[in-house]
Amino acid sequence: MAACSLIVNAIEAEFLAGVAVVDTLEGAAKAARMLIDFYPAAIVTAGGEGVAYCGRDGEAFAMAAIPVNVVSTHGAGDEFVGAFAAGLARGHQVEAALAAANAAAALLVATPERQREAI
């Protein structure tokens, strides 16, 4: 993975990539492909749809969100980015780090805010 990756949500991707509404996993993948014209690697989260990755090195993939009963999305982006960074710091490959981030964000959004300190 490139040392300088861009991580954006769907709304930010729409603005930066100049694409229509990113509300599907395919749309997130398209936006990620467009963003590597400006950044070495791009990660586009699409909320309950999942996340897409594209790097200038040719690596590209998308993974569906883990289905959960959403209680609150507050903090999901921070949880995702933190878990992704922690995975990379542990030496995980990009896809494994994104899978861990996807799982961490799913757990967070399915947990009532008052109970989140326990997770």
Side-chain angles (χ1 to χ4, degrees):
M1 183 185 91
C4 196
S5 296
L6 174 72
I7 303 174
V8 294
N9 63 34
I11 294 168
E12 295 161 340
E14 292 166 13
F15 177 76
L16 290 173
V19 295
V21 177
V22 176
D23 59 359
T24 65
L25 198 49
E26 295 78 23
K30 178 182 177 183
R33 285 191 304 273
M34 294 176 75
L35 288 167
I36 63 167
D37 287 343
F38 306 100
Y39 304 93
I43 297 165
V44 178
T45 63
E49 296 298 313
V51 60
Y53 172 85
C54 190
R56 284 188 188 160
D57 62 0
E59 184 177 13
F61 58 86
M63 63 180 65
I66 297 168
V68 296
N69 291 323
V70 176
V71 177
S72 171
T73 61
H74 185 254
D78 293 334
E79 183 76 10
F80 179 89
V81 172
F84 176 67
L88 292 180
R90 290 186 189 105
H92 296 276
Q93 297 297 316
V94 173
E95 193 164 358
L98 282 176
N102 202 20
L107 178 61
L108 184 84
V109 301
T111 304
E113 290 186 40
R114 290 188 203 131
Q115 298 172 10
R116 289 183 178 178
E117 288 185 23
I119 60 173

